[in-house]
Amino acid sequence: QVQLLESGGGSAQAGGSLKLSCAASVASQYILSGCAMAWYRQAPGKERERVASIGRADYTNYADSVKGRFTISKDYSKGTLDLQMMSLKPEDSAMYYCAAGIRTLWSLKSFDYDYWGQGTQVTVSS
């Protein structure tokens, strides 16, 4: 059973930056190289939304709300999926989840992701 563990969440001031990382409990290199991966977030009272996706060929896609500010990437040396967040805004505050899909090489749909982490909290103050 694959488990995903997020880290790097915390508090930041508006305009600041944070970097999230996600590591798989097993087969991390396979997960990174062979699966669709993504970051989602959910704020209290709101639906979960996709933040960024990265495919097997490292093609990336971002939600309009974070485009130009966030960068999703894979660090094969560390075996992690990262999300670099810059120019943070209070509306970026949410629980952030890492997701991996073993049945697909690329997806923008949450139902294609088979494994989800427990989440890491990001809080941005104005």
Side-chain angles (χ1 to χ4, degrees), residues 37-58:
M37 300 199 76
W39 286 96
Y40 281 75
R41 68 186 181 188
Q42 187 169 21
K46 295 187 177 181
E47 292 188 356
R48 182 175 59 187
E49 65 172 343
R50 188 185 63 88
V51 175
S53 304
I54 186 166
R56 181 179 181 181
D58 292 351

Side-chain angles (χ1 to χ4, degrees), residues 98-115:
C98 169
I102 62 174
R103 297 171 287 117
T104 183
L105 304 178
W106 165 253
S107 177
L108 302 180
K109 302 297 184 181
S110 61
F111 55 71
D112 283 329
Y113 291 92
D114 306 286
Y115 300 107

Side-chain angles (χ1 to χ4, degrees), residues 6 46 76 85 92:
E6 303 94 339
K46 295 187 177 181
Y76 287 97
M85 304 185 293
D92 293 320

Side-chain angles (χ1 to χ4, degrees), residues 26-78:
V26 295
S28 59
Q29 295 297 326
Y30 169 77
I31 296 293
L32 279 181
S33 63
C35 301
M37 300 199 76
W39 286 96
Y40 281 75
R41 68 186 181 188
Q42 187 169 21
K46 295 187 177 181
E47 292 188 356
R48 182 175 59 187
E49 65 172 343
R50 188 185 63 88
V51 175
S53 304
I54 186 166
R56 181 179 181 181
D58 292 351
Y59 180 77
T60 59
N61 184 278
Y62 297 90
D64 288 341
S65 59
V66 306
K67 201 170 293 183
R69 300 189 297 120
F70 290 12
T71 302
I72 187 171
S73 63
K74 301 174 184 177
D75 188 331
Y76 287 97
S77 66
K78 296 180 180 178

